[in-house]
Amino acid sequence: MTRDFDPVKPETLESPHKEFHRQRAQCPVAHTEAQGGYWNITRYDDVATVASDSQRFITSVQNVVPKVAFTGRRPPLHLDPPEHTPYRKAIAPLLTTKKIAHLEPKIHDICNSLLTPLITNKGGDICREFSAPLPIRVFALWMNLNHEDTELLASVGRTYNYAVQDGDEEKTKAASAILYDLARKLLAERKTKPMPVDQDAVSSLLAASYEGKPLPEEMIIGTIRQVLVVGIIAPTVFFGSVAVHLAKDETLQQYLRANPEKIPAAIDEFLRLYTPYRGFARTPKEDVELRGQTIKKDEPIAVCYAAANRDPSVFANPDEFILDRPNINSSLAFGKGAHNCVGAGLARLQMIVALQCLLSATTGFTLNGPVGVTRMPELGALRVPLAFS
């Protein structure tokens, strides 16, 4: 039985945003008994406050709504500061804008390779055939995987992606187990033949320490497992949503095709408009009051970044795409606080390149069938059939 809203009713791409607008106006701190029971916050200020206060609102109890982690803790997301910090510090230097710049031409090659069969067939599912395999290939490149492991990650990562979205618990668990095996294999290889810590995430984790001691190997394995998939689902559905928007807005599609220098700014506005996460979770360490509602200790809160990014008190005409929006830097597309997305630069880069390649490889595209959408914790388009001109 639900109370303020029903998170499991059928949805379209835009219907969750209509519900967020309703909640924001009528019950900005809403509760449901579905999916184990949780609170949902939709106002920008509340989302930013809760996400930033890692002392009162923690992630180590539950990191997403609904709870989808079936195995052990995976740093840094499953830990709170300061325990999470050494894992994050080991990875972050490898994800700076300067550090990932050399990947751009290789990402172009990956995009063009994935687009080739779509161009030949004059269309296809842009998610399943392009935006789902793209981040897997990019992460494999960033993690220095060999060809065999890249192909394994491509296969298993894709299965994991769609199993999570289809709510197939058994397939999700099976794929996760294979990903853990891959993480253990990578750890064993780097222990035997370490790479420079400024070039390889696993080697950097092995060299890191906390309170003067090496990081526990099982926690390093959990981190590797987290990294292997953390950037897979969000780019898939985000790019799917972008494709739907552009398929419906030929004027914008042609404008960006003719003015590719505007694509980075367009991606930033699309990230605000189609933020792919609505269910990142925080849990209060003590009873708290938020807008007149008492949230008890250990009751999960969905920190809805997607709702915050369409709050009209912060973003004028929030449901509209506005290129070069003056306060776009206020966007919470990559989160806020200690757990903001450490791979934001790489995610943004691959989405910019993906849109550049799609627009340059086509003269136009339209929708060619019904759009499939995600389930929580993501929000976006999961199946997008396109017809190419």
Side-chain angles (χ1 to χ4, degrees):
M1 180 179 177
T2 60
R3 191 173 87 183
D4 296 321
F5 68 104
D6 181 3
V8 297
K9 66 183 180 182
E11 295 179 332
T12 65
L13 189 58
E14 285 297 331
S15 65
H17 291 289
K18 294 178 181 178
E19 173 61 22
F20 297 154
H21 282 312
R22 185 193 70 80
Q23 288 183 36
R24 196 182 296 112
Q26 298 178 10
C27 49
V29 181
H31 189 268
T32 180
E33 294 176 7
Q35 297 175 319
Y38 66 94
W39 295 88
N40 196 53
I41 55 176
T42 49
R43 289 189 180 174
Y44 183 97
D45 289 347
D46 295 338
V47 169
T49 297
V50 171
S52 299
D53 190 349
S54 58
Q55 295 300 311
R56 287 201 305 162
F57 302 96
I58 61 177
T59 66
S60 51
V61 175
Q62 183 173 340
N63 64 295
V64 293
V65 174
K67 200 168 187 176
V68 295
F70 303 110
T71 50
R73 293 190 298 172
R74 297 192 289 268
L77 186 58
H78 292 192
L79 298 181
D80 301 304
E83 290 81 8
H84 97 308
T85 308
Y87 300 91
R88 188 179 176 95
K89 282 186 174 180
I91 298 169
L94 300 167
L95 288 164
T96 64
T97 300
K98 182 177 180 181
K99 199 67 180 179
I100 63 175
H102 75 283
L103 296 176
E104 185 169 351
K106 297 177 182 179
I107 297 174
H108 271 278
D109 291 342
I110 293 170
C111 288
N112 289 329
S113 175
L114 292 171
L115 282 170
T116 296
L118 286 161
I119 299 301
T120 300
N121 295 327
K122 297 183 178 180
D125 186 340
I126 200 66
C127 291
R128 186 172 287 275
E129 299 174 59
F130 181 69
S131 64
L134 170 60
I136 298 173
R137 298 284 178 180
V138 172
F139 263 92
L141 184 66
W142 177 75
M143 291 196 71
N144 303 301
L145 299 191
N146 60 35
H147 177 74
E148 178 184 349
D149 290 338
T150 296
E151 293 306 307
L152 175 62
L153 180 61
S155 174
V156 180
R158 190 175 189 175
T159 299
Y160 179 88
N161 187 343
Y162 281 87
V164 168
Q165 287 304 315
D166 290 337
D168 191 326
E169 187 172 312
E170 291 307 311
K171 276 189 178 180
T172 300
K173 288 180 178 179
S176 182
I178 297 173
L179 291 167
Y180 266 107
D181 289 341
L182 177 56
R184 294 186 182 94
K185 177 176 181 285
L186 288 172
L187 180 66
E189 289 176 352
R190 296 296 188 268
K191 286 177 67 177
T192 303
K193 296 181 179 179
M195 295 181 65
V197 295
D198 63 344
Q199 297 178 21
D200 180 70
V202 180
S203 300
S204 182
L205 286 162
L206 282 167
S209 62
Y210 179 59
E211 296 182 339
K213 298 178 181 179
L215 302 180
E217 286 195 5
E218 279 305 308
M219 296 298 268
I220 294 178
I221 290 168
T223 306
I224 299 168
R225 156 65 180 79
Q226 184 75 8
V227 170
L228 286 173
V229 299
V230 72
I232 290 178
I233 299 179
T236 300
V237 303
F238 166 71
F239 197 81
S241 299
V242 171
V244 171
H245 187 109
L246 291 175
K248 294 179 176 180
D249 188 344
E250 185 179 356
T251 300
L252 177 60
Q253 183 187 146
Q254 295 301 344
Y255 175 81
L256 293 176
R257 189 174 277 113
N259 299 275
E261 72 281 1
K262 287 293 188 179
I263 289 177
I267 288 295
D268 290 337
E269 173 65 346
F270 278 133
L271 281 164
R272 181 201 65 81
L273 192 61
Y274 298 114
T275 306
Y277 276 113
R278 55 175 156 175
F280 272 120
R282 298 290 188 273
T283 306
K285 295 173 67 175
E286 59 190 20
D287 291 1
V288 297
E289 186 171 302
L290 194 59
R291 298 195 184 273
Q293 295 284 5
T294 298
I295 302 176
K296 294 186 179 299
K297 178 180 180 291
D298 295 335
E299 290 184 340
I301 303 169
V303 181
C304 195
Y305 294 123
N309 275 342
R310 293 203 191 187
D311 188 332
S313 72
V314 178
F315 302 102
N317 303 310
D319 296 325
E320 295 180 18
F321 176 93
I322 299 176
L323 191 62
D324 297 319
R325 185 179 283 272
N327 66 336
I328 193 61
N329 288 338
S330 297
S331 171
L332 299 178
F334 290 109
K336 192 174 179 64
H339 287 288
N340 71 310
C341 180
V342 69
L346 183 57
R348 182 176 179 271
L349 175 62
Q350 64 181 306
M351 293 297 96
I352 290 170
V353 174
L355 187 53
Q356 289 172 342
C357 290
L358 175 61
L359 292 175
S360 65
T362 60
T363 58
F365 54 83
T366 56
L367 288 175
N368 192 32
V371 172
V373 297
T374 62
R375 63 196 291 271
M376 283 189 69
E378 287 78 26
L379 195 163
L382 187 64
R383 294 174 176 85
V384 181
L386 296 180
F388 294 169
S389 301

